[in-house]
Amino acid sequence: MDIRAKLLQTPYTAFPAPVWKERIRLSAIDAPAVWRPWLMDRGSLTQHLVKASHQQFSVQLLSLAWQYPSLSEAQALGIPLRHKALIREVILKGQNEAWVFARSVIPASTLTGRERQLHLIGQRSLGSVLFSDPTMRRGPLQTTSIQVDSHTLWARRSVFRLSNKPLLVAEVFLPALEQVHYSPSRY
């Protein structure tokens, strides 16, 4: 079974819980050179994927449901563990190839006021909403590696705040992305 199929057929929470580490920069010890720009760029991943795909970018919605976040996710958001959140999982594709698996955890308390729109974005990129909102603030980046069969996948996550209301976005970079040229906005 290829890595993409394994990710699509296995719930994200079934993989061993990764250890997330807050990073300001990454060295060769922390992650391979090819992944460091992807992991540390604080700009819009969506914008970079659109550019890298020559405008052939799409979002495949895998799931959108009220679920319990993992312990790590609840802690990152500062919410009680047994509070359900709206969890959205998508595949970000470039040139019809799976490049990124993304998981967003949005507490119910965030889905009020203008932020109610977040549960209606469907096949749109969450990044397009976040980075167009003037109230958006991004917290520190955390990175990790995830072992899936014989593959090491690199991932990052951060807490975003819209009107000071939190949501957590985790992005797992898939093997096909390794071949894509990327010019980070900040590195």
Side-chain angles (χ1 to χ4, degrees):
M1 177 182 305
D2 74 1
I3 190 73
R4 181 179 179 275
K6 175 107 176 173
L7 275 174
L8 295 179
Q9 293 177 1
T10 307
Y12 177 79
T13 53
F15 293 106
V19 176
W20 294 93
K21 295 180 183 175
E22 194 171 306
R23 306 286 188 172
I24 295 171
R25 67 177 53 97
L26 291 171
S27 71
I29 295 169
D30 300 318
V34 69
W35 295 117
R36 291 195 296 263
W38 293 101
L39 291 165
M40 297 310 299
D41 192 302
R42 294 184 55 82
S44 169
L45 178 62
T46 296
Q47 287 179 351
H48 290 294
L49 295 177
V50 167
K51 182 179 177 183
S53 69
H54 306 287
Q55 313 302 313
Q56 294 179 33
F57 173 80
S58 63
V59 176
Q60 178 187 351
L61 180 63
L62 301 176
S63 67
L64 178 68
W66 288 95
Q67 301 172 3
Y68 294 109
S70 70
L71 173 61
S72 175
E73 291 168 335
Q75 289 173 335
L77 287 162
I79 62 173
L81 180 60
R82 300 307 297 171
H83 279 219
K84 284 190 174 180
L86 185 62
I87 297 181
R88 179 176 187 254
E89 295 182 342
V90 300
I91 294 288
L92 305 179
K93 294 181 174 182
Q95 300 175 338
N96 209 30
E97 195 169 24
W99 282 355
V100 178
F101 168 82
R103 177 178 164 96
S104 305
V105 181
I106 309 169
S109 60
T110 296
L111 293 167
T112 59
R114 282 184 342 139
E115 289 70 35
R116 272 189 302 239
Q117 68 172 329
L118 292 174
H119 79 285
L120 301 173
I121 63 173
Q123 302 280 0
R124 286 179 44 218
S125 160
L126 179 57
S128 66
V129 174
L130 294 175
F131 283 88
S132 66
D133 189 316
T135 70
M136 188 274 285
R137 300 292 174 263
R138 186 178 201 166
L141 289 168
Q142 296 179 325
T143 64
T144 194
S145 61
I146 302 168
Q147 203 61 36
V148 179
D149 294 336
S150 62
H151 296 277
T152 299
L153 302 180
W154 294 91
R156 69 179 189 174
R157 75 177 187 182
S158 55
V159 173
F160 288 85
R161 293 188 178 278
L162 296 177
S163 302
N164 208 30
K165 296 183 269 187
L167 63 136
L168 180 67
V169 178
E171 298 150 332
V172 181
F173 301 110
L174 302 176
L177 192 63
E178 190 171 358
Q179 306 306 315
V180 176
H181 176 72
Y182 181 61
S183 301
S185 59
R186 295 179 201 114
Y187 182 60

